[in-house]
Amino acid sequence: MRIIRTKGGNLDSIVKEIRGGREVFDEGILGTAREIVEDVAARGDEALFFHTERLDGFRLDAKNVEVSQEEMSEALAGLTETEEEVIAFAAKRIRTYHERQMEGLKGDWRWDEGEGSFLGQVVRPLKRVGIYAPGGLASYPSTVLMAAVPARTAGVEEIILATPSRPGALAPAMARAAQISGIKRIFRVGGAQAIAALAHGTTTVPRVDKIVGPGNAYVAAAKKLVFGQVAIDMIAGPSEILIIADAEADPALIAADLLGQAEHDELAVALVATPSEPLAKAVAGEVARQLARLPRAQTAGAALKGQGAVIITADLDEAFELANRFAPEHLELLVAEPHRELSRVKNAGCVFLGAASPEAVGDYTAGSNHILPTCGTARYASPLGVYDFLKRISVVGLSPRAFQRYGRKAADFAKLEGFAGHAASIAIRDRL
Amino acid sequence: MRIIRTKGGNLDSIVKEIRGGREVFDEGILGTAREIVEDVAARGDEALFFHTERLDGFRLDAKNVEVSQEEMSEALAGLTETEEEVIAFAAKRIRTYHERQMEGLKGDWRWDEGEGSFLGQVVRPLKRVGIYAPGGLASYPSTVLMAAVPARTAGVEEIILATPSRPGALAPAMARAAQISGIKRIFRVGGAQAIAALAHGTTTVPRVDKIVGPGNAYVAAAKKLVFGQVAIDMIAGPSEILIIADAEADPALIAADLLGQAEHDELAVALVATPSEPLAKAVAGEVARQLARLPRAQTAGAALKGQGAVIITADLDEAFELANRFAPEHLELLVAEPHRELSRVKNAGCVFLGAASPEAVGDYTAGSNHILPTCGTARYASPLGVYDFLKRISVVGLSPRAFQRYGRKAADFAKLEGFAGHAASIAIRDRL
C-alpha cells in the first residue's frame, strides 16, 4: 500500500492520479451495448431471447422469461434460517430509514397569495419502476432491498425486477429479498438486453418509467444509452472508501475497513487521508498483516496496489479538502469529534461517524442506502432514495384578480421575445 | 386542425400517433455531436474556438471568449425601460416561488435512535453550475431567469452562462437577466462545443458539476453524451400543451392558448381533449379565425397541421386518462371545478387551473418554472427546481451500543454474500 505525501496544492493531481485516466466507458463497450439496445428496441422479445442465449448461455421463451409463482415458492422453500433472518432484519431497518426520509421530504406545498389564488407543487410517485440486479454467482439480495424498499416506500405501484437466472435456478435469498420488498414480477434477463427491454418494452417485458440498480460495464453503458427514453438512477463505477483519520485512530480498524472495500473487485478504491505519519505507517503494516488472512486476498491485494494509498496531509483541514475534491462514495471520519466535523463534508455519498460506524454496517443493516454515487459524481448526485421514485408537478391556480395584477405582465415579456401569440392569449382574457 | 374521436381503448394509439415515430435523436445528430464533444474533450480551447468559427461563423480567442465587465456594462446601457421592468418583475416572482419551494423541501433530517446514535441526511448545494441558453435571434432572457434563479436560491456558489454571441454583441436583455439572477461569468459559446467545454473544462471554460437549460437538437445530443461526466437537467423536446375542456369552456380562449403554443416551432404539440362535440367544432373554427391574425401564422399553422388536434372523448374521465398517458409538458384544466380535479392529474409538467391561468403566464410571470419535462418524460421527471441544484449526503452515526444491537448483524449478511472482509471489519469491533 502506497504512502503519498501532499505537497501544498497538489490535491487535484493526487485525485487525478488515483482515479487514473480511466474512461467510464470505452468505445468498444458502448458500441457493443448500442447494438444490443437497438436490436431489442427493433425486434423486442426475439432479440431479447437471442442475446440472452448468446451471452448468458441459456434459451428463454415467452413462457419462462418471467419467474412463475411456482418457481418463486420453490425458491423460497430453499431459504436457510440465517438468510431469512438477516434479510428480514435488513429489510425492516431499510424500510424505517426510508420512511423517515419520506417524512423529511415534505411533499406538496402551496404559496397562497390570497383572493383564491395560489401556486405550488404536488408530488406523485412514479407508476412502474424496473430494478436491475446482477444474478448468478455474484447475486446480491441486499441490493434488491436497497433498490426496491425505497421505491415501495415512495408509493410506486409496480416494481419489476430483472435479474438473470437459468429457468428453475432463482436463488432463494434473491426470491425472499424480492418478496419482502414488494416486487411482484421477476424477469430472468440480464445485461444490456435487459436494460433495453425495460426501456423500450417487449411483448413480455413491460416498459418502465425508471431503471435503477447497479450492473457490469455493459449494463452501465446500456443505461447511458437509454437515458432520455426512461429515467435512470446513476451510472455506477467501482466502489470507493476514503477514511479521514487523526493520530489517535486505531490502525487495525482502518486496515479492516480498507480491506472490506478492496475485496469488492480489482478496481475498488481504498484511501486514508491523515496528517499523522506514524498512523500512516501503522495502517500500511496492518493492511499487509490482515490481507494475508483474507479469502479474497488476491482481489483485495490488486485493488490496494492499484488504487490503495495512505495520503499524509499537512493537517486535518487539508484531509477534508482532499476528501471534498475526491467526493468519495463512502467517507469514514475516524477523528476526535466526528459529529462536529460533519459540517466540513461537502461531497460524499455516505458519511460514517466514528469507530462504531464502519462502512460494512451501511452496506447492510444501518438502514441507509448502499446504492451511492461513485467516481466523483457525489459532486452532484445523491444516494438512491425515495426522491428517486417521486416527481413533482407544478400548479398555477390564479384568480381573475391575481391574473390582472401580475398575469397580464406576461404579455410584455412575450412581446419582448417575439411571441405575439402568447401575448394574444393574455390579451383575450381582458374580459375576465 | 384535426378532430379525432376516441373509440374505447385506443388512447395509447392516439398518443403514439400524435407523438409520431419521431426519434428524439437521429443517428446523424448524435454522431455529429459526438465528434464535437470528443474533440473538445481532447483539444480543449483550440477545438472550442475551431467549432465556434466553423458553425457560428465568428472567431473567438482566450481573451474574448468570456464576456468582459466592460462589455457587460455596455450591453446593460442599451436596455430599454420595458425590458428592465419586465425582467425585474419576472425575476422577483420567480425568486419568490423558488424560495417557497426551498421551504417546501425540508432539508436535513435525523432519525435519532437514542443512546447518542442517529442516521439521517444532510443537504448541500452544488458548487458550480453551467446554464446553457440559445443566443442570436432566438435568445430568451426568460430562460436565463428560469435556470439561474433556482440555482441561486438553492445556494449554488458559481453560476456560469454559456450563450453564443459575436464579441461585442451581447443582447441587453440577456445581460440584464444574467445580472439580476446572480450570474458572474458569461462565455459566448454555443452548440455541442459549449456543452463539451462545460462538461470537460478547457483552459478558459471551467468544468461544472451540472448543465441545465434548453438548446437545439445538437445541444440536446451533446447533453446526452456528456451525461455521467456531469449531471444534466433533462433533454428538451418540442413544447406541448394539452387542454382538458368541458362543454362550458370558452372556445376563443382555448384557441388562443393553442396558438400561443403552436407559434413556438413547427414541431410544437397543441391538443384539446373534450367530451363535447360542439366545443370541438367551435375550437377548430376559432383556431382558423385567430390563426389568420398571427404574425407567426406559418409556423403555427404547420405545427397545428402536424401535431394539432381536438380529441373528442367519451367523457371527462377519459380525457384525464388520455392526459395522464400523454404526460404533457403543459396541462390546462378548463373545467367547472379545476381545483377539485387536480387530484386526477398523475403526469404533467405544469398544471394550469381555470380560465385565469393561461399557460403564457407560466412562461413568464407566474413565478413557477417554464423549464419543464417534454415528450412524455413527465411520467418520471419534474420541472426544473431548487432540488436540481441540491444533493444529499447520508449520515450513519452509531454509538457503540447501537453498533452491538444491529450493526453486528451486518456481518451475517456479508457472509451470505461472500464478503469475508466486510464481516471481519465488523468482528474486529467486538472490543468497542
Side-chain angles (χ1 to χ4, degrees):
Chain A
M1 187 152 200
R2 281 176 295 176
I3 296 183
I4 300 171
R5 194 179 300 269
T6 66
K7 295 182 200 96
N10 68 336
L11 299 185
D12 282 336
S13 66
I14 292 174
V15 169
K16 209 163 179 178
E17 188 198 324
I18 289 163
R19 284 242 160 72
R22 281 191 302 279
E23 286 291 323
V24 185
F25 302 102
D26 74 42
E27 270 306 306
I29 290 177
L30 262 181
T32 304
R34 182 174 296 116
E35 282 167 26
I36 297 171
V37 168
E38 285 171 3
D39 194 20
V40 174
R43 294 196 301 137
D45 272 348
E46 203 182 327
L48 179 62
F49 303 153
F50 169 76
H51 293 291
T52 299
E53 185 166 17
R54 187 171 68 86
L55 299 166
D56 294 338
F58 50 87
R59 179 78 202 165
L60 296 178
D61 58 40
K63 282 195 206 68
N64 66 11
V65 62
E66 183 169 2
V67 171
S68 66
Q69 278 310 312
E70 293 68 40
E71 185 179 348
M72 191 73 182
S73 305
E74 281 165 31
L76 289 172
L79 203 67
T80 69
E81 212 170 297
T82 311
E83 283 174 334
E84 167 59 26
E85 197 197 348
V86 297
I87 289 171
F89 188 85
K92 194 177 163 208
R93 297 273 323 163
I94 298 165
R95 192 175 304 121
T96 309
Y97 178 91
H98 288 89
E99 281 164 5
R100 302 295 171 119
Q101 194 179 56
M102 273 296 269
E103 286 167 29
L105 181 88
K106 244 197 240 165
D108 303 359
W109 58 272
R110 286 172 65 106
W111 168 20
D112 278 297
E113 301 198 279
E115 301 167 345
S117 186
F118 81 101
L119 292 98
Q121 284 189 312
V122 293
V123 177
R124 301 271 191 266
L126 308 194
K127 192 175 176 203
R128 190 188 287 142
V129 164
I131 290 172
Y132 185 85
L137 283 180
S139 83
Y140 302 121
S142 61
T143 299
V144 174
L145 298 179
M146 292 293 177
V149 170
R152 183 122 173 119
T153 307
V156 174
E157 277 175 43
E158 284 179 64
I159 308 174
I160 287 167
L161 175 63
T163 188
S165 73
R166 288 171 186 278
L170 183 67
M174 291 292 276
R176 180 61 179 140
Q179 184 192 50
I180 206 168
S181 50
I183 290 170
K184 297 280 193 302
R185 304 184 70 180
I186 305 175
F187 291 89
R188 53 174 82 265
V189 288
Q193 62 273 20
I195 300 299
L198 291 169
H200 294 281
T202 70
T203 311
T204 53
V205 180
R207 182 181 78 147
V208 301
D209 299 320
K210 185 165 189 167
I211 301 172
V212 304
N216 64 19
Y218 292 94
V219 168
K223 281 170 76 178
K224 182 178 161 80
L225 291 167
V226 299
F227 166 70
Q229 181 72 26
V230 288
I232 67 169
D233 54 341
M234 57 184 91
I235 294 171
S239 195
E240 308 160 345
I241 193 170
L242 190 153
I243 302 174
I244 296 180
D246 61 19
E248 319 306 318
D250 182 338
L253 299 192
I254 295 173
D257 294 354
L258 293 172
L259 288 169
Q261 190 61 36
E263 72 174 339
H264 270 286
D265 63 69
E266 298 190 356
L267 291 176
V269 177
L271 302 172
V272 182
T274 180
S276 163
E277 182 158 348
L279 183 82
K281 288 178 174 162
V283 167
E286 273 288 338
V287 163
R289 214 166 54 81
Q290 294 183 28
L291 180 61
R293 298 196 302 253
L294 200 67
R296 297 197 190 199
Q298 203 177 345
T299 302
L304 289 172
K305 195 174 166 201
Q307 304 81 233
V310 185
I311 299 155
I312 302 175
T313 54
D315 47 31
L316 268 182
D317 287 347
E318 198 184 44
F320 276 96
E321 180 60 32
L322 178 70
N324 283 326
R325 297 210 195 175
F326 195 82
E329 182 189 13
H330 305 98
L331 175 64
E332 287 188 0
L333 302 188
L334 296 178
V335 295
E337 293 189 80
H339 290 69
R340 277 191 51 183
E341 308 293 357
L342 180 58
S343 63
R344 299 164 75 164
V345 178
K346 306 293 180 208
N347 298 326
C350 187
V351 184
F352 298 87
L353 304 178
S357 303
E359 189 215 302
V361 177
D363 290 340
Y364 295 111
T365 59
S368 57
N369 212 291
H370 79 201
I371 302 177
L372 297 166
T374 54
C375 294
T377 59
R379 273 163 38 231
Y380 55 76
S382 303
L384 192 75
V386 292
Y387 33 80
D388 279 291
F389 303 102
L390 300 167
K391 43 129 197 226
R392 296 176 173 86
I393 301 172
S394 297
V395 185
V396 176
L398 306 193
S399 63
R401 279 196 61 173
F403 171 76
Q404 295 299 337
R405 188 165 325 144
Y406 63 84
R408 294 184 60 188
K409 207 81 167 178
D412 297 332
F413 212 136
K415 282 178 201 155
L416 196 126
E417 294 189 346
F419 288 121
H422 286 60
S425 77
I426 303 285
I428 202 173
R429 285 169 162 90
D430 267 352
R431 62 178 93 156
L432 291 181
Chain B
M1 184 151 199
R2 282 175 296 176
I3 296 183
I4 300 171
R5 196 179 298 269
T6 66
K7 295 180 200 96
N10 67 337
L11 299 187
D12 283 335
S13 67
I14 291 175
V15 169
K16 209 164 179 175
E17 187 199 325
I18 289 163
R19 283 242 161 72
R22 279 190 304 281
E23 288 290 325
V24 185
F25 301 103
D26 74 41
E27 271 306 306
I29 289 176
L30 263 181
T32 303
R34 183 174 295 114
E35 281 166 28
I36 297 171
V37 168
E38 285 171 1
D39 194 19
V40 174
R43 295 197 300 137
D45 272 347
E46 202 182 329
L48 179 63
F49 302 153
F50 170 75
H51 293 291
T52 299
E53 184 165 19
R54 189 171 66 85
L55 298 166
D56 293 339
F58 51 87
R59 179 77 202 166
L60 296 178
D61 57 41
K63 284 194 205 67
N64 65 12
V65 62
E66 182 169 1
V67 171
S68 65
Q69 279 310 315
E70 293 69 42
E71 184 177 348
M72 192 72 183
S73 305
E74 279 165 33
L76 288 172
L79 203 69
T80 69
E81 209 169 303
T82 311
E83 283 174 334
E84 166 59 26
E85 195 196 352
V86 297
I87 290 172
F89 187 85
K92 192 175 164 210
R93 298 274 322 163
I94 298 165
R95 193 174 304 122
T96 308
Y97 179 91
H98 289 88
E99 280 164 3
R100 302 293 173 122
Q101 195 179 54
M102 273 297 268
E103 286 167 30
L105 179 87
K106 245 199 239 168
D108 303 0
W109 59 273
R110 286 171 67 106
W111 168 20
D112 278 297
E113 299 198 280
E115 302 167 343
S117 186
F118 82 100
L119 292 97
Q121 283 189 313
V122 293
V123 177
R124 301 270 190 268
L126 308 195
K127 191 175 176 203
R128 191 188 287 143
V129 164
I131 290 172
Y132 186 85
L137 283 180
S139 82
Y140 301 121
S142 61
T143 299
V144 174
L145 298 179
M146 292 293 179
V149 170
R152 181 122 175 121
T153 306
V156 174
E157 277 175 42
E158 286 179 62
I159 309 173
I160 287 167
L161 175 63
T163 188
S165 72
R166 288 172 185 277
L170 183 68
M174 291 293 274
R176 179 62 179 142
Q179 184 192 50
I180 206 169
S181 50
I183 290 170
K184 296 279 192 303
R185 304 184 69 179
I186 306 175
F187 290 89
R188 52 174 82 263
V189 287
Q193 61 274 23
I195 300 300
L198 290 169
H200 293 281
T202 71
T203 310
T204 52
V205 180
R207 182 181 79 147
V208 301
D209 299 319
K210 185 164 189 169
I211 301 172
V212 304
N216 64 18
Y218 292 94
V219 168
K223 282 170 75 178
K224 182 178 162 79
L225 291 167
V226 299
F227 166 70
Q229 181 72 27
V230 287
I232 66 168
D233 54 341
M234 56 182 92
I235 294 170
S239 194
E240 308 161 344
I241 193 169
L242 190 153
I243 301 172
I244 296 181
D246 62 19
E248 319 308 319
D250 181 339
L253 298 192
I254 295 173
D257 295 353
L258 294 172
L259 289 169
Q261 191 60 36
E263 72 175 338
H264 271 287
D265 62 71
E266 297 191 357
L267 291 175
V269 176
L271 302 172
V272 182
T274 180
S276 163
E277 183 158 346
L279 183 82
K281 288 178 175 161
V283 167
E286 273 288 338
V287 163
R289 214 166 53 80
Q290 294 182 27
L291 180 61
R293 296 197 302 254
L294 200 66
R296 296 196 190 200
Q298 202 176 347
T299 302
L304 289 171
K305 196 173 167 205
Q307 303 83 229
V310 185
I311 300 154
I312 301 174
T313 56
D315 47 30
L316 267 183
D317 287 347
E318 197 183 45
F320 276 95
E321 180 61 31
L322 179 70
N324 284 326
R325 296 207 196 179
F326 195 82
E329 182 189 14
H330 305 100
L331 175 64
E332 286 188 0
L333 303 188
L334 296 177
V335 295
E337 294 190 81
H339 289 69
R340 278 191 50 183
E341 309 292 358
L342 180 58
S343 62
R344 299 163 75 164
V345 178
K346 306 292 182 208
N347 297 327
C350 186
V351 184
F352 298 86
L353 305 178
S357 302
E359 189 215 302
V361 177
D363 290 340
Y364 295 110
T365 59
S368 56
N369 212 290
H370 80 201
I371 302 177
L372 296 166
T374 53
C375 293
T377 60
R379 274 163 38 233
Y380 55 75
S382 304
L384 192 75
V386 293
Y387 33 80
D388 279 291
F389 303 102
L390 299 167
K391 42 126 196 231
R392 294 174 174 87
I393 301 172
S394 298
V395 184
V396 176
L398 306 193
S399 63
R401 281 196 60 172
F403 171 75
Q404 295 299 338
R405 190 169 318 145
Y406 63 86
R408 293 184 61 187
K409 208 77 165 183
D412 298 333
F413 213 136
K415 282 178 202 154
L416 198 127
E417 294 189 346
F419 288 121
H422 286 60
S425 76
I426 304 284
I428 202 172
R429 284 169 162 90
D430 266 353
R431 63 177 90 157
L432 291 181

